Amino acid sequence: TLSLHDALPICQSKNNFMMGFFAHALLRVDLQKIWDAHMTLHLWEVQLIAQIYQVQHLILSGIQETEMRIGQLHNHPWMKFRRGMMMTKTINTTWNTFLHSFARTWSLRALWMVLVDSAFYLLFFLLSKIMSSVVTALTSGVTLGLDEVAAKVFLVKILTAMIILALIIWVLWTISRVIIWQLLSKTQFTLRTWARFFGFNLIWTAIVGVPIYVLVKYALSILTPGIMPSKGLQVMHYGLVLILLYFSYLVFYAFVKERKVFASYKKGFTRSVMDAPSLVPAYLLLVGVMLLIGLLNPLIAKLPDAFGLGISYILFFGTFTWSKIYFYDILDQKSGVKRKGHSSSSSSSSSHSFA
């Protein structure tokens, strides 16, 4: 709070708009308090108060007039036309990126991404089989007549095996994500970045785990054994997956650019909300492709076993690899990042730009 005497040099420049603005912002002159305190004011102080209120009146009048003119300009036919052109340009750019992403999927780099994903799920399948064998071995010969000590030992063995398996799977999943994001960004992570990525992914696992735990707990409380889940529960499940997938693209993209854990989460979540008007329509295209692929499942089920399994494998890993490439390109586009050799209008160059 400034005294009237300290404010004099500021308010003497009353013809300067910025000086007047500072006087309005920094000085809150309450004449009633001055009157109640029986303060004696010099003539120059009274003039100063009058100047402050004069500046305040001019500023408020100017703001009101400016807001009115902005409103008129916003509704001007030329501005409406300009907004329409900008929206059309954004739609065209997003559509071109969408089409271009399919060409980028047919590349050596995308093939490596498919192989990394496939290797992880193969190892996940093998580890699950091993876990099943371990549980079978631990439970073989066990009878229901265990005493309390033996039952506790048996339970500890089962839980220990499950925790070890979960940690191994999580480590393999994190390593596979590091490699995939390196392939997407065409960058190499240092050892420090690898360590940060593990910490980043650990936090993300906790964030994802909370809503999944709540949904699973709710589902178990209302499901009846032998009865299929309701349509509402299925919609909740797929909706949660799509929401988490949207946020995951944003936060992991932010980490690739920032290489910092908490700063990446702040930037990723902020952007996911602030840029939602431009990102959600692009994301809906991705969801549409996934739904279209899902509609093909009944047709694939009618194919011979080996052939149908191969088609399902290609569609599953191909779709998820394409989705990462597509939305990474969208985020690059919205961030103003230009890729070398990228051209949305040239399909011949686009087929080699990701290799």
Side-chain angles (χ1 to χ4, degrees), residues 125-238:
F125 175 77
L126 294 176
L127 288 172
S128 299
K129 288 293 185 181
I130 293 174
M131 181 60 191
S132 178
S133 301
V134 170
V135 172
T136 302
L138 290 173
T139 55
S140 61
V142 176
T143 63
L144 296 177
L146 289 176
D147 56 38
E148 184 177 354
V149 176
K152 288 183 178 180
V153 172
F154 171 74
L155 181 60
V156 168
K157 289 182 179 179
I158 294 293
L159 291 177
T160 303
M162 293 180 66
I163 291 173
I164 293 175
L165 175 65
L167 287 175
I168 293 174
I169 291 175
W170 183 84
V171 170
L172 293 175
W173 177 58
T174 303
I175 292 174
S176 66
R177 298 313 98 180
V178 173
I179 297 173
I180 286 175
W181 281 102
Q182 285 185 127
L183 291 170
L184 271 174
S185 60
K186 296 183 179 180
T187 57
Q188 292 295 325
F189 291 174
T190 62
L191 290 178
R192 177 179 294 182
T193 306
W194 272 72
R196 288 178 177 176
F197 191 93
F198 269 77
F200 183 86
N201 202 34
L202 181 62
I203 296 175
W204 179 248
T205 304
I207 293 174
V208 172
V210 172
I212 291 179
Y213 170 78
V214 172
L215 180 61
V216 170
K217 189 175 181 180
Y218 172 73
L220 292 176
S221 66
I222 63 173
L223 285 179
T224 303
I227 299 178
M228 291 292 293
S230 64
K231 293 293 184 181
L233 189 61
Q234 295 181 33
V235 170
M236 289 176 58
H237 169 260
Y238 290 117

Side-chain angles (χ1 to χ4, degrees), residues 70-145:
I70 290 176
Q72 294 174 349
L73 185 62
H74 183 77
N75 296 322
H76 193 276
W78 167 250
M79 292 303 296
K80 291 182 179 180
F81 173 75
R82 181 176 176 82
R83 289 197 300 271
M85 291 296 294
M86 293 177 64
M87 183 176 296
T88 302
K89 182 180 179 180
T90 301
I91 293 174
N92 289 337
T93 305
T94 301
W95 182 251
N96 289 333
T97 303
F98 173 75
L99 297 178
H100 179 75
S101 63
F102 290 101
R104 280 164 54 78
T105 307
W106 293 94
S107 64
L108 181 60
R109 193 177 296 270
L111 177 61
W112 276 110
M113 292 172 61
V114 171
L115 292 177
V116 171
D117 253 341
S118 304
F120 165 72
Y121 284 104
L122 177 61
L123 290 173
F124 175 78
F125 175 77
L126 294 176
L127 288 172
S128 299
K129 288 293 185 181
I130 293 174
M131 181 60 191
S132 178
S133 301
V134 170
V135 172
T136 302
L138 290 173
T139 55
S140 61
V142 176
T143 63
L144 296 177

